[in-house]
Amino acid sequence: MKLFRFGERGREEPGILAADGTLRSLVGVIPDIDGAALSPEALEVLRGTDTAALPPVPEGARIGPCVGGVGKLIGIGLNYSDHAEESGLPIPKEPIVFLKANTSIAGPYDEVVLPPDAKKADWEVELAFVIGTRAKHVAEADAMAHVAGYCIVNDISERAWQAEREGQWTKGKSYDGFAPMGPWLVTADEIADPGNLRMTCDVSGDRRQDGSTSTMIFGVATLVSYLSQFMTLEPGDVVTTGTPPGVGLGMRPQVWLKDGDVMRLEVAGLGHQEQAVRVAAP
């Protein structure tokens, strides 16, 4: 299934992509696409829904982030061997973990407004997974049973804030709108191998990233198990798993997002995103 959310920011409603390709509303069926809707039992009920009988989503409705009520948005850094190489950094021995503030979550087609003092804003196409059942001290062999599905996240980063100021990466990752999410939450049964998905990102028509999840250092099962040793993963939590090479940081000379740029991101089987960039006035 491909689930999504639509409507005004902060007032999104649940939807589902019908078999005929139309967007259908799940209002009255479930309250939201959130942790409560993502358990195996709840998803099985949705699979039995007659989507043809559901009302269509109003034409022109905004598509919001595909998961609501996210408790934790967790990022994994330097998780692609070829991205670590372009960054001139060693392969991590363990996953590098950071948090992105939930206020960074945005819709997949929302405008990205950069802060006026942004110096090195960067793009990152990423595969994210969404937790469906509570995970605590989970063995790697059991980890995939806790994943409800997958989506695209653009892990937008202000590199000067991330790496050139003291403290943790979180502040360079958490500005409002720095985590466009969606359009779809694609249930896990539709993604046969999350470790073999092509990923691309174009910036203003130029192909910047063209990679594959096959170069991930730590796969989805490893990440679920690893994270669950340090924190309880709750239904609706989102983990975004890192990016392939081609980010602005790795280019020579380096290239950063600027006013008027348009980012287009795609991951095989998960749809695409597109965001126009605007720099806020001082």
Side-chain angles (χ1 to χ4, degrees):
M1 291 184 295
K2 291 182 173 66
L3 306 173
F4 66 96
R5 299 168 71 245
F6 65 95
E8 297 177 16
R9 188 187 300 269
R11 300 179 64 183
E12 291 91 351
E13 297 179 330
I16 188 169
L17 183 67
D20 63 1
T22 58
L23 305 181
R24 300 286 177 156
S25 172
L26 285 169
V27 173
V29 179
I30 54 173
D32 201 356
I33 307 298
D34 58 8
L38 297 178
S39 70
E41 297 78 14
L43 290 176
E44 196 57 38
V45 171
L46 285 181
R47 284 190 185 91
T49 302
D50 180 8
T51 56
L54 296 172
V57 169
E59 187 174 353
R62 168 184 173 267
I63 303 299
C66 58
V67 185
V70 175
K72 294 188 285 295
L73 175 54
I74 303 166
I76 306 297
L78 291 176
N79 194 31
Y80 282 65
S81 56
D82 39 9
H83 173 51
E85 181 180 355
E86 76 166 348
S87 301
L89 296 168
I91 300 295
K93 295 179 181 179
E94 295 186 42
I96 295 173
V97 180
F98 61 89
L99 297 176
K100 288 176 76 83
N102 290 8
T103 46
S104 69
I105 296 172
Y109 309 112
D110 290 349
E111 182 182 56
V112 171
V113 180
L114 300 179
D117 56 344
K119 298 177 181 177
K120 298 181 178 181
D122 208 348
W123 55 87
E124 294 188 46
V125 60
E126 303 202 359
L127 168 73
F129 62 84
V130 184
I131 296 296
T133 59
R134 192 170 185 263
K136 184 175 183 178
H137 296 296
V138 171
E140 191 167 328
D142 303 321
M144 298 303 284
H146 295 272
V147 176
Y150 303 92
C151 64
I152 304 171
V153 166
N154 186 357
D155 178 21
I156 299 170
S157 308
E158 213 301 325
R159 302 296 191 187
W161 295 0
Q162 176 188 354
E164 297 173 16
R165 299 177 65 174
E166 302 208 6
Q168 301 298 314
W169 285 10
T170 296
K171 64 181 178 292
K173 300 280 191 173
S174 293
Y175 195 75
D176 291 357
F178 272 24
M181 184 181 297
W184 319 118
L185 169 59
V186 181
T187 52
D189 58 297
E190 290 200 8
I191 303 299
D193 183 3
N196 188 27
L197 302 175
R198 187 183 179 196
M199 319 165 72
T200 61
C201 176
D202 297 347
V203 180
S204 296
D206 292 330
R207 179 61 46 91
R208 298 299 191 190
Q209 294 183 271
D210 191 348
S212 169
T213 57
S214 63
T215 66
M216 277 199 296
I217 299 162
F218 305 105
V220 173
T222 299
L223 292 173
V224 173
S225 176
Y226 181 84
L227 292 169
S228 77
Q229 312 308 311
F230 303 101
M231 64 189 83
T232 300
L233 300 175
E234 298 284 1
D237 285 350
V238 179
V239 180
T240 188
T241 61
T243 198
V247 297
L249 176 70
M251 298 180 69
R252 297 294 181 269
Q254 293 174 330
V255 176
W256 310 113
L257 291 169
K258 62 184 185 301
D259 194 79
D261 276 338
V262 176
M263 296 176 283
R264 190 185 193 281
L265 299 81
E266 186 169 358
V267 176
L270 302 182
H272 77 274
Q273 302 184 349
E274 187 168 302
Q275 301 105 27
V277 177
R278 177 169 61 86
V279 177

